[in-house]
Amino acid sequence: MKSWYKLSLGNDAQAFEPTQRIQQMFMSQFLISPAGSKRALFSCYDKQADKLWLFFSPAAQDIALRVYAQPCDPPTALDCIGLLAGEGDALSDPVHEAEAEVATV
């Protein structure tokens, strides 16, 4: 399975413009992607550290690499993430979904 990517953009004020540019780059590719592509861009703001992080789903690797994001583990609900653009179901884990389906059969 491909990796998720994470990019630190600094504090809230520093992150505004780069986040907007990255979101625009993402959307230009997302709009030509087929439905169900699982392309997604998430954000997470850490209040204590005053730092904004962007998470790119594996399907958005092309954009992640262009902005020098680093491979990371998939984000979790504990990462206080919010969907900026794309398909929110990109967070779903196909392994756990398959296990859940087997358990219900």
Side-chain angles (χ1 to χ4, degrees):
M1 178 175 222
K2 292 182 179 179
S3 178
W4 279 76
Y5 291 85
K6 184 177 182 180
L7 178 66
S8 173
L9 291 176
N11 68 33
D12 199 26
Q14 295 168 328
F16 179 77
E17 190 175 319
T19 299
Q20 186 177 27
R21 282 194 312 252
I22 291 168
Q23 191 174 21
Q24 289 171 343
M25 289 170 52
F26 176 88
M27 286 305 295
S28 68
Q29 293 299 312
F30 174 70
L31 292 173
I32 61 173
S33 297
S37 67
K38 296 204 178 215
R39 288 180 70 91
L41 176 62
F42 294 91
S43 68
C44 173
Y45 179 67
D46 181 343
K47 291 179 188 177
Q48 291 180 332
D50 188 25
K51 188 175 275 191
L52 180 78
W53 297 90
L54 295 183
F55 288 92
F56 301 81
S57 69
Q61 177 184 24
D62 57 330
I63 304 297
L65 295 176
R66 286 175 48 191
V67 297
Y68 305 105
Q70 299 297 309
C72 69
D73 291 329
T76 66
L78 298 176
D79 288 320
C80 64
I81 60 168
L83 180 65
L84 282 180
E87 298 180 351
D89 65 346
L91 279 176
S92 61
D93 181 352
V95 172
H96 290 107
E97 285 179 6
E99 290 172 357
E101 285 179 20
V102 169
T104 60
V105 173

